Amino acid sequence: MASEPFEYTPQAADVFTQEVMARSGQNLTACYQCKRCASGCPVAEDTDMVTPNRLIRMVVLGDIENALTNKLTWKCLFCHTCGTRCPNNIKTGRIADTLKKMALDAGIDPQQPEYKNFHRAFFNYSLRWGRINEIGMMGEFQLRNMWDHLKKGNYVAILSEIMSKSTLAWKMFKQKRLHLSFHSSKGRDEISRLYKKSSGRKWI
Amino acid sequence: MDLAYYPGCSLYQSAKLYNHQIKLVLGMLDLKLKELEDWSCCGATSAGKINDFMAVALPARNIGIAESTGLSELVIPCSACYSRTMVAQKQLQDFPLLKNEINFELSKKTTGNIKVSSALDVLRREIKGSRFKSIPLQKLEGYSPACYYGCMNTRFPYDVPISDNVENPQAMETVLEATGVKAVDWNYKTLCCGASSVIYNPEGALDLMAKIMRDAVSRDADCFVVNCPMCQMNMESQQDNFCEKHDIKERLPVYFITELIGMAFGLSKEELQPGDDLFINGMDWTDLCGDSV
């Protein structure tokens, strides 16, 4: 993939780096590119050579577009192997996580379309009922996916969504892993008050 | 001794068996688990993907409830809940303003000081105790489990005290050895299984699980032993998928650590797996315990 040479703009790089550092709580400028993180990363063989150390360098240089759209940012599993091996204690998993959030804030579509819907469905369900019921949560996740397909007019995808997820559900049901009982927590008004308090906050 | 107990959502649903077994096994060690009243979801990894404040506030509510019981220790069997609670607790200690803000909305305020342990930590501690030594152990012969820890036992997104070796944890091996089972030595005990990405990036997750499987098989392991409901679910329910994708012929059962310990304690199959609504196939009980079962 031939691309235009990247032009370094100190001020833009600084603003971007400061925001990533504040939101992730990590000191990116401490990275001296020793690549211990790179050798431990379980997804790095599948990210077009973007390793955790290179991700840090992208951010520090202010290469915003690549930082928000490279494969590592989206494939990172938050397993923290990089963080435990870093001699400077930089938890790059949290940087990738921050970049995902910044990309979503900027209206960039996630590389795995279902990523956003899954976490949104899980989080909303835990706020709404106080506890996760797997069937309900997965149902919400599926509805969100189908709504996305509907907006794009992709009816075939809706059908395959129903087919694939109901196959999975049936398989789990046969393994006696799907339970139909419903659980909730009475403390959900406390939780929704806390949620109101969190609105507009970009970090803790 | 009484311990505060946070089961978490998955132990009420897909990992119901783990909830049942952990109570049974710790009960035999004279530890009574007092479930937190009206506990709520810890947010797992999803809360932190969307809202950093709620990622601390959700576990904080449970920590507050645990502290209000007056018990000295909170036990959490699920690795994800354990990780989230440990991280949230340390952040509450490190950021007093944040703690005040959260406490303002909570009916049971948190100080962030209760001791949080995983069920595995408790087991490892108890095998040194006199109660454990007084239990007559059944011999589990011909078993070479691969102890699989996954990410969340030893690696955290924030600096918290870690109870085991980060790269080569030994808690499950130690516990199993005390019950007479020698676990295999292998390389992939802390490799990530892909966790929830199996939903939105299945191919990547299957490749990781195949690596774990292949190493366990090449070390002649005959089962996996895990303490994380997510790892258990992935490694078991996806096993046919990743083995077919990567031409692995072998299949290994995936047990919770409590299953093997329960058997060593002489619990029967009916006691460990009662009713119809619990899962796990594959364990051949007659093979293990002779005619006594």
Side-chain angles (χ1 to χ4, degrees):
Chain A
M1 182 172 70
S3 57
E4 294 289 303
F6 170 68
E7 197 177 318
Y8 174 60
T9 326
Q11 210 187 348
D14 192 45
V15 170
F16 185 60
T17 309
Q18 293 298 338
E19 183 173 354
V20 175
M21 294 211 321
R23 287 181 74 163
S24 67
Q26 305 304 304
N27 182 10
L28 271 67
T29 52
C31 173
Y32 46 51
Q33 298 289 318
C34 74
K35 301 188 183 69
R36 280 191 76 187
C37 51
S39 55
C41 180
V43 293
E45 45 191 87
D46 205 14
T47 55
D48 295 343
M49 304 299 280
V50 182
T51 49
N53 60 303
R54 292 187 67 185
L55 184 68
I56 294 177
R57 182 52 60 87
M58 265 179 207
V59 174
V60 174
L61 290 178
D63 188 356
I64 301 175
E65 198 192 324
N66 272 328
L68 299 183
T69 56
N70 72 81
K71 282 192 175 173
L72 180 66
T73 294
W74 290 100
K75 283 200 169 160
C76 170
L77 296 160
F78 214 48
C79 79
H80 300 301
T81 308
C82 50
T84 55
R85 294 190 182 169
C86 177
N88 294 320
N89 201 15
I90 305 169
K91 295 176 169 46
T92 316
R94 288 185 61 190
I95 297 168
D97 230 34
T98 302
L99 292 170
K100 282 189 195 113
K101 278 181 231 170
M102 290 170 77
L104 293 176
D105 288 353
I108 296 171
D109 278 340
Q111 278 173 18
Q112 295 115 14
E114 296 183 345
Y115 168 88
K116 189 176 157 191
N117 291 343
F118 177 78
H119 290 301
R120 200 22 106 177
F122 193 103
F123 182 58
N124 283 12
Y125 204 95
S126 73
L127 294 182
R128 192 178 307 125
W129 299 110
R131 287 181 197 176
I132 296 293
N133 295 292
E134 283 151 2
I135 291 184
M137 187 272 288
M138 288 303 280
E140 177 168 345
F141 166 61
Q142 210 174 340
L143 285 176
R144 281 170 181 274
N145 289 340
M146 290 199 273
W147 179 241
D148 279 0
H149 298 319
L150 195 67
K151 278 190 290 189
K152 289 180 191 138
N154 193 347
Y155 302 106
V156 182
I158 297 180
L159 196 68
S160 80
E161 173 82 26
I162 297 173
M163 293 302 287
S164 69
K165 294 296 188 312
S166 52
T167 319
L168 178 75
W170 174 240
K171 209 169 140 189
M172 285 190 55
F173 193 73
K174 275 197 297 193
Q175 289 178 347
K176 292 170 186 162
R177 309 200 63 152
L178 268 193
H179 297 277
L180 299 165
S181 52
F182 179 82
H183 306 284
S184 65
S185 165
K186 289 190 209 78
R188 46 187 194 269
D189 51 326
E190 277 177 31
I191 294 171
S192 65
R193 283 204 302 275
L194 283 163
Y195 183 56
K196 272 196 198 112
K197 204 169 225 184
S198 74
S199 69
R201 295 171 80 121
K202 283 196 170 174
W203 52 84
I204 53 169
Chain B
M1 198 169 82
D2 286 354
L3 301 169
Y5 178 60
Y6 175 78
C9 306
S10 65
L11 272 78
Y12 262 55
Q13 304 232 325
S14 55
K16 216 170 169 182
L17 182 70
Y18 193 28
N19 188 27
H20 171 76
Q21 291 181 344
I22 202 88
K23 284 182 184 164
L24 212 58
V25 166
L26 292 185
M28 285 193 75
L29 296 164
D30 283 347
L31 297 171
K32 205 156 177 226
L33 298 177
K34 299 264 184 190
E35 189 167 320
L36 300 184
E37 202 181 314
D38 199 42
W39 55 266
S40 50
C41 173
C42 69
T45 40
S46 294
K49 306 283 180 210
I50 293 167
N51 187 319
D52 288 315
F53 179 79
M54 290 310 282
V56 185
L58 286 169
R61 179 173 181 272
N62 298 319
I63 298 172
I65 299 172
E67 284 167 354
S68 74
T69 60
L71 298 168
S72 60
E73 188 174 6
L74 172 62
V75 182
I76 305 177
C78 167
S79 297
C81 304
Y82 170 66
S83 170
R84 279 316 316 160
T85 310
M86 287 287 277
V87 168
Q89 191 186 37
K90 187 76 195 320
Q91 286 174 327
L92 290 171
Q93 289 165 359
D94 288 355
F95 307 112
L97 282 176
L98 174 74
K99 184 166 75 182
N100 289 346
E101 261 185 283
I102 292 172
N103 267 338
F104 187 77
E105 306 293 350
L106 293 179
S107 57
K108 287 174 176 160
K109 315 286 180 206
T110 168
T111 59
N113 287 328
I114 194 169
K115 183 179 178 196
V116 179
S117 306
S118 71
L120 188 56
D121 292 339
V122 175
L123 279 172
R124 188 178 42 180
R125 187 176 68 211
E126 290 305 315
I127 54 167
K128 298 190 190 100
S130 56
R131 183 72 189 105
F132 177 82
K133 288 180 180 129
S134 68
I135 297 174
L137 293 176
Q138 304 281 323
K139 225 172 161 42
L140 299 182
E141 268 173 9
Y143 247 72
S144 342
C147 300
Y148 176 56
Y149 294 80
C151 309
M152 293 192 151
N153 278 300
T154 55
R155 296 194 300 268
F156 298 86
Y158 196 77
D159 290 328
V160 299
I162 299 167
S163 60
D164 209 334
N165 186 307
V166 175
E167 298 284 348
N168 185 15
Q170 290 293 325
M172 283 198 263
E173 279 89 345
T174 315
V175 173
L176 286 177
E177 201 164 344
T179 54
V181 178
K182 182 95 179 73
V184 301
D185 196 14
W186 66 308
N187 285 326
Y188 285 81
K189 57 166 78 166
T190 59
L191 188 84
C192 180
C193 70
S196 59
S197 79
V198 79
I199 306 273
Y200 51 80
N201 181 19
E203 295 309 313
L206 293 182
D207 293 347
L208 289 175
M209 285 186 257
K211 278 187 193 170
I212 297 167
M213 181 78 183
R214 194 165 272 154
D215 192 54
V217 167
S218 73
R219 303 286 173 140
D220 292 329
D222 52 17
C223 63
F224 286 105
V225 175
V226 299
N227 73 328
C228 169
M230 183 87 239
C231 302
Q232 202 282 337
M233 166 100 111
N234 270 354
M235 292 303 291
E236 190 183 64
S237 66
Q238 301 294 328
Q239 201 169 111
D240 283 341
N241 298 350
F242 63 75
C243 286
E244 274 158 28
K245 184 177 175 193
H246 289 267
D247 288 330
I248 301 171
K249 288 188 186 62
E250 292 82 356
R251 297 289 186 273
L252 300 179
V254 189
Y255 302 128
F256 286 117
I257 176 93
T258 44
E259 179 111 1
L260 265 73
I261 299 173
M263 283 200 310
F265 282 181
L267 295 169
S268 69
K269 183 181 181 178
E270 286 69 33
E271 285 170 298
L272 280 168
Q273 300 198 12
D276 265 352
D277 56 344
L278 300 172
F279 61 94
I280 285 204
N281 35 36
M283 181 168 268
D284 195 343
W285 286 77
T286 42
D287 252 18
L288 278 169
C289 306
D291 297 330
S292 63
V293 179

